[in-house]
Amino acid sequence: MTEAFSWVFDGLLVIALVIVAARVVFTPVLFKAIVMFIVFGLLMAIAWGRLDAPHVALAEAAIGAGITGALLLAAYSDLVSVRRRRPHLRPRVRVLRRHAFFAASAALAFAALALVLLQVPAPESGAGTLAVANLDATGVAEGVTAVLLDFRAYDTLLEMAVLLLAVYGARAVLVTDSEPRPDPWPTEGRHGSMVAALVGVLAPLIVVTAGYLLWVGAYGPGGAFQAGAVLAALGVLLRLTGRLEPAAASSWPQRLVLVAGLIVFSLVGLATLFAGGTFLDYPEAWAYPLVLLIEIALTVSIALPLILLFSGSPGLATPAPEDRR
Amino acid sequence: MTPPVLYALCAAAIFGIAVYGLLSRPHLVRRLLALNMMGVAVFLLLVAFARRDPEVTDPVPHAMVLTGIVIAVSATAFGLALVRRLYRDTGRTGLSESRDP
């Protein structure tokens, strides 16, 4: 009975995912497509939960649906003056032929993938089995955290570099020497006192949640990624309600936070290298404190870049006291 | 058929839909959406296959997907910055190859 119920649930979830994915592609209105994409991310978070991947579910809900959605909506508000597409000048037959070709490619991709996927044999033993077997050496009791910060720490280190590159790339692309553009989120008279009070109540709770997620990562679903994403969501909230304002340059503390993850991670790696080991191979007694130190640095270094990317400004500043309501 | 296989087939379907969206939509934000969905389909495949052995859940694909999600949001943010700049400079939201911007 339970099994039949879970089959029905999985079936409905899969159907919903495919329908929402199709809506993202086929809806003619860009705004609808973005909203559908956010819905898609949330449905996907449920699917991760069903697949016994609570870490991924947390990250998908916070980053995949939340932060990506906020970034998309911010970009949309910038592009909102785009006029409707002009009518096609090309003959309809060519358009149809092109779309038939695209549809054929898509169907081919699906068929080839499905055919291969149904035949992949289950692995006898892989990296995962090894990782679970050697969990004791890492000082953390959670497999995913151990893989992220110990067994495959190098991946995570380079990922921080990618995030930093994205921030500086976006800054280089967006900041021109023309006069500053008006902020897409005007705060004057937009928010009543209720919103300000609500944010005041929510902000400390969000910080506590982020701290909990960071701490619990050592033995349960959570960790630096999820904690950083939750902090970033707080930053987006503060930015939207005017508690944080865009600044023309980032202050020294902000720059330090941006690179903290990369620097702490690299320093730990170099320290283990010079202590006679291999790069990022922590000595067993030190493994847990080192992992925790790196995770704290990663959390802030994931949160701030995401906030800056949303804000679209090189830095952030708190408004002058007289501006505050 | 087991649940992981069902989700793997779902991943293949989403991938196919996203390929169509990537090819047929000239608007660059729509293409970014489609690219993101292709990425999510790959993540779904990885996580579904991590569950094939019902006894243990393989943590390595989960960690790869977590890394992938952060990389995807970085790349999307950079792509959106490029689209905004393109629109600011030229007033277009598609590339010049696509004749209906």
Side-chain angles (χ1 to χ4, degrees), chain A residues 20 23-24 27 29-43 64-65 68-70 72-73 76, chain B residues 29-30 33:
Chain A
V20 173
R23 291 285 289 160
V24 174
T27 183
V29 186
L30 177 60
F31 183 75
K32 265 191 194 165
I34 293 174
V35 173
M36 279 294 155
F37 180 77
I38 297 171
V39 173
F40 177 75
L42 291 174
L43 283 177
T68 309
L72 284 165
L73 289 174
Y76 176 79
Chain B
V29 176
R30 307 292 291 249
L33 285 176

Side-chain angles (χ1 to χ4, degrees), chain A residues 10 27 52 81 106 128 173-174, chain B residues 7 16 30 57-58 85 87-88:
Chain A
D10 283 340
T27 183
D52 202 17
S81 55
V173 168
L174 276 183
Chain B
Y7 281 102
R30 307 292 291 249
T57 308
D58 189 343
R85 177 64 185 273
Y87 178 67
R88 199 190 293 174

Side-chain angles (χ1 to χ4, degrees), chain A:
Chain A
M1 183 60 203
T2 334
E3 196 173 345
F5 182 74
S6 71
W7 270 110
V8 170
F9 188 86
D10 283 340
L12 286 177
L13 186 58
V14 163
I15 292 170
L17 277 170
V18 172
I19 289 177
V20 173
R23 291 285 289 160
V24 174
V25 168
F26 289 108
T27 183
V29 186
L30 177 60
F31 183 75
K32 265 191 194 165
I34 293 174
V35 173
M36 279 294 155
F37 180 77
I38 297 171
V39 173
F40 177 75
L42 291 174
L43 283 177
M44 201 44 106
I46 303 176
W48 302 132
R50 292 289 303 157
L51 285 166
D52 202 17
H55 293 80
V56 186
L58 282 169
E60 176 77 33
I63 303 181
I67 302 288
T68 309
L71 287 169
L72 284 165
L73 289 174
Y76 176 79
S77 74
D78 226 23
L79 305 176
V80 80
S81 55
V82 178
R83 292 167 305 279
R84 277 305 190 81
R85 282 204 299 170
R86 277 169 290 141
H88 285 292
L89 298 176
R90 275 166 299 163
R92 294 293 299 173
V93 183
R94 275 188 59 196
V95 177
L96 274 181
R97 206 188 294 156
R98 253 170 53 141
H99 280 251
F101 171 71
F102 296 151
S105 327
L108 195 69
F110 169 70
L113 276 172
L115 204 69
V116 172
L117 295 180
L118 286 174
Q119 291 171 353
V120 176
E124 307 247 315
S125 97
T129 336
L130 276 175
V132 173
N134 291 301
L135 210 52
D136 287 342
T138 63
V140 291
E142 178 60 37
V144 176
T145 309
V147 172
L148 273 176
L149 291 161
D150 197 328
F151 298 126
R152 299 196 61 90
Y154 198 54
D155 289 3
T156 312
L157 172 65
L158 289 183
E159 170 198 340
M160 294 313 292
V162 170
L163 189 54
L164 196 64
L165 268 180
V167 171
Y168 283 109
R171 179 195 286 195
V173 168
L174 276 183
V175 176
T176 49
D177 35 20
S178 60
E179 78 271 22
R181 294 161 46 78
D183 197 12
W185 329 106
T187 49
E188 289 304 312
R190 282 276 300 276
H191 305 291
S193 47
M194 288 299 282
V195 173
L198 189 65
V199 171
V201 172
L202 276 180
L205 290 178
I206 294 179
V207 173
V208 170
T209 308
Y212 169 75
L213 281 172
L214 171 63
W215 187 256
V216 85
Y219 42 87
F225 293 82
Q226 293 86 348
V230 169
L231 274 186
L234 174 63
V236 169
L237 202 60
L238 293 177
R239 178 76 176 77
L240 280 175
T241 53
R243 301 286 185 98
L244 285 175
E245 286 182 342
S250 47
S251 60
W252 272 108
Q254 283 168 17
R255 291 179 202 183
L256 206 60
V257 168
L258 274 179
V259 296
L262 206 53
I263 287 189
V264 168
F265 220 145
S266 310
L267 283 180
V268 169
L270 288 177
T272 54
L273 190 63
F274 286 119
T278 15
F279 190 66
L280 284 173
D281 183 19
Y282 323 123
E284 209 158 307
W286 283 78
Y288 180 64
L290 284 179
V291 165
L292 195 63
L293 174 74
I294 293 173
E295 280 211 283
I296 293 170
L298 287 189
T299 303
V300 292
S301 293
I302 286 170
L304 187 62
L306 293 177
I307 301 169
L308 287 179
L309 284 169
F310 172 77
S311 171
S313 62
L316 293 165
T318 47
E322 61 266 28
D323 290 351
R324 274 197 198 146
R325 278 179 301 262

